[in-house]
Amino acid sequence: MAAAGEASTTVLRFFSFIGAGVICTKAINMYLDYERKQEAAAEAEAAAIAASASPSTTAVVAADASPASTVAAAKP
């Protein structure tokens, strides 16, 4: 037969395991939120820098809409 204190230690160990899982999950979620906030702040800063740049320093690429001009240029 089992001792009277044995069941209580098993339950205590079970709840300690569950508690550790809850604490670890909370810590992981807090860290992921921290990373998301850091990425959002970096993107906002990059957007602010890009918006404040003068038009002469930004590169603009214009695509030719007519594919015929490339075909005519390729013929000898």
Side-chain angles (χ1 to χ4, degrees):
M1 212 161 183
E6 193 171 316
S8 64
T9 57
T10 303
V11 172
L12 180 63
R13 285 177 35 204
F14 174 72
F15 283 126
S16 297
F17 179 75
I18 297 299
V22 168
I23 291 170
C24 290
T25 302
K26 179 69 175 170
I28 290 169
N29 287 336
M30 287 176 64
Y31 178 72
L32 292 176
D33 287 340
Y34 172 76
E35 279 189 339
R36 284 187 205 113
K37 287 179 184 176
Q38 291 295 325
E39 289 176 1
E43 288 176 3
E45 184 178 338
I49 291 172
S52 67
S54 66
S56 63
T57 60
T58 58
V60 178
V61 178
D64 188 10
S66 62
S69 62
T70 57
V71 173
K75 290 184 179 180

